[in-house]
Amino acid sequence: MAYQQLSQAMAFEAESPSPGALSRMGMLALAESLRSGLSADALRYHFLAEQLSEVLFHLDGLGKLTFLSPTWTALTGLAVEDVLGQPLAEVVHPEERPRVQALLDAIAARVQASFRLELKLLAPGGPRWVELAAHSSPAGQGEVLGTLTDVTERRQLQARLQQSDRLATLGMLVPGFAHEMNNPLAFMLGNLDYLLSSMGESAGAVPANAVAEWREAVGEVREGAERLRQLIGHLHNFRAESRQGLVDLTTLLDTVGQMVSSALRSRGRLVRDYGARARVVGCEGGLRQALLNLVLHAVLSLPDGGDMEANEVRLVTREDGEGHVVVEVHDTGSGIPPELLPHVFEPLFTARESKPGPTLSVCRDIVRGLGGSISVTSSVGRGTVFRVTLPMAS
């Protein structure tokens, strides 16, 4: 019980007491009285527990939390006193519970003396990744001492690095793929053009309706092949480029729209609302990447298999009357919660825990490098608008 009382007292003591808060002052008095009964060594250990960034914990022989250092609240957003007395397995993510319980049982049975693993903790703001280090207590009786170290940012960074590595590898392979695919496409388009011209020459020997059907069928095949050729061209050009020049925003947005068409097909529709046809000075490859990230973020915010007519991504261009062109990317998705909105352009931000989405910090850096600005507004349940403002070419 002393562990639990001192843990609660430390949690209250970590906060600034407010006037008239008798219960809080009582807890501070309890902390002082508990400390007065501790040895000098015990006081040093408890002081250390208050200063460490890691969370220190103690489990009794039943695997229940009897002590938590105040850092627990900073890590999870949960009050220490609300968690004490619960089994450790109950505060971790459900998918982690069997593994944690099996390891705790192994320590209790003296099969192993310690273990270390990364897992997810439950928290009001979403799961937090921690490294759990647990050791059999010198006191025995199945008690466990351990630490919880926050590794959430490290896990997110690892996911980003893995994604970047996959994209870098793909970027090295795409030019070769594009070249290999363009060769058979060139043969296909050439032969289709030959068939179309031959049908016109033999129109007198074949019923007119049959020729019309053939020409229509071959025309559709040629249209599909031409579209595939354009997509391969977009992929071939999707590389880092440093060359500066004039970039037509309307053409660039159309290219981006084609590149996300497959991802959008089962989610909604793309609406083009071009109120201005403007050009800007910059690197076409960089600006393409920034706009593609924004549009792809909008596409992924729409539910897969939802209402195809109601769900949309809208691309808007307009002039602001001050020598700038404004590009807006609207979506009718789930929106971004207010508490996350200030962090949207941070390097590790992701609105999706399971699959990291496009890196919006890259968009911000590219736009700023072109002398522009970027902002975002969002309403939960109604959608999000990203707004890019760029100086127009004179």
Side-chain angles (χ1 to χ4, degrees), residues 201-276:
E201 295 172 0
S202 61
V206 181
N209 59 340
V211 174
E213 290 176 359
W214 294 346
R215 291 177 66 88
E216 181 180 359
V218 173
E220 289 177 355
V221 175
R222 191 191 187 286
E223 181 182 348
E226 177 61 26
R227 184 177 178 183
L228 183 58
R229 186 189 67 80
Q230 292 176 1
L231 288 173
I232 292 173
H234 298 329
L235 288 176
H236 187 271
N237 293 327
F238 190 61
R239 296 174 295 179
E241 302 169 6
S242 58
R243 181 171 53 86
Q244 300 288 311
L246 289 176
V247 181
D248 187 305
L249 280 177
T250 302
T251 302
L252 195 59
L253 285 171
D254 283 340
T255 297
V256 169
Q258 288 182 321
M259 296 180 75
V260 302
S261 59
S262 60
L264 185 60
R265 187 171 297 117
S266 62
R267 298 174 181 269
R269 59 196 180 104
L270 181 68
V271 179
R272 296 175 174 85
D273 184 6
Y274 300 154

Side-chain angles (χ1 to χ4, degrees), residues 362-384:
V362 171
C363 305
R364 178 200 58 191
D365 295 343
I366 292 173
V367 169
R368 285 180 178 177
L370 295 174
S373 62
I374 184 170
S375 62
V376 58
T377 56
S378 188
S379 177
V380 174
R382 300 184 63 181
T384 302

Side-chain angles (χ1 to χ4, degrees), residues 160 342-350 359-361 364:
R160 291 292 186 194
H343 307 289
V344 163
F345 297 112
E346 293 179 359
L348 296 177
F349 173 81
T350 177
T359 307
L360 299 179
S361 64
R364 178 200 58 191

Side-chain angles (χ1 to χ4, degrees), residues 326-361:
V326 179
V327 179
E328 294 178 344
V329 180
H330 299 243
D331 68 64
T332 57
S334 56
I336 301 172
E339 65 272 15
L340 295 181
L341 209 53
H343 307 289
V344 163
F345 297 112
E346 293 179 359
L348 296 177
F349 173 81
T350 177
R352 301 164 189 82
E353 178 196 353
S354 58
K355 293 183 179 180
T359 307
L360 299 179
S361 64

Side-chain angles (χ1 to χ4, degrees), residues 75-273:
L75 172 64
T76 65
L78 298 170
V80 170
E81 62 270 20
D82 292 339
V83 180
L84 290 177
Q86 295 184 31
L88 174 64
E90 292 298 317
V91 301
V92 304
H93 198 277
E95 65 188 32
E96 308 279 5
R97 289 173 185 170
R99 183 168 55 144
V100 172
Q101 190 59 56
L103 291 170
L104 291 176
D105 292 342
I107 288 183
R110 299 186 179 182
V111 175
Q112 65 185 83
S114 64
F115 66 85
R116 185 182 298 268
L117 75 160
E118 291 188 2
L119 50 77
K120 289 185 287 186
L121 287 180
L122 296 175
R128 303 289 297 180
W129 278 99
V130 297
E131 181 181 70
L132 169 67
H135 309 270
S136 178
S137 171
Q141 300 178 345
E143 297 181 8
V144 175
L145 293 168
T147 59
L148 299 169
T149 305
D150 188 1
V151 295
T152 304
E153 288 193 3
R154 188 180 77 191
R155 293 289 297 224
Q156 292 175 336
L157 181 58
Q158 287 173 345
R160 291 292 186 194
L161 290 174
Q162 291 172 4
Q163 183 184 37
S164 297
D165 184 67
R166 286 194 297 269
L167 290 176
T169 302
L170 181 60
M172 290 185 285
L173 295 175
V174 160
F177 288 161
H179 178 73
E180 292 300 321
M181 295 172 70
N182 267 326
N183 286 336
L185 271 176
F187 289 124
M188 289 171 59
L189 289 169
N191 286 324
L192 289 170
D193 287 337
Y194 168 74
L195 286 174
L196 285 173
S197 62
S198 298
M199 289 175 186
E201 295 172 0
S202 61
V206 181
N209 59 340
V211 174
E213 290 176 359
W214 294 346
R215 291 177 66 88
E216 181 180 359
V218 173
E220 289 177 355
V221 175
R222 191 191 187 286
E223 181 182 348
E226 177 61 26
R227 184 177 178 183
L228 183 58
R229 186 189 67 80
Q230 292 176 1
L231 288 173
I232 292 173
H234 298 329
L235 288 176
H236 187 271
N237 293 327
F238 190 61
R239 296 174 295 179
E241 302 169 6
S242 58
R243 181 171 53 86
Q244 300 288 311
L246 289 176
V247 181
D248 187 305
L249 280 177
T250 302
T251 302
L252 195 59
L253 285 171
D254 283 340
T255 297
V256 169
Q258 288 182 321
M259 296 180 75
V260 302
S261 59
S262 60
L264 185 60
R265 187 171 297 117
S266 62
R267 298 174 181 269
R269 59 196 180 104
L270 181 68
V271 179
R272 296 175 174 85
D273 184 6

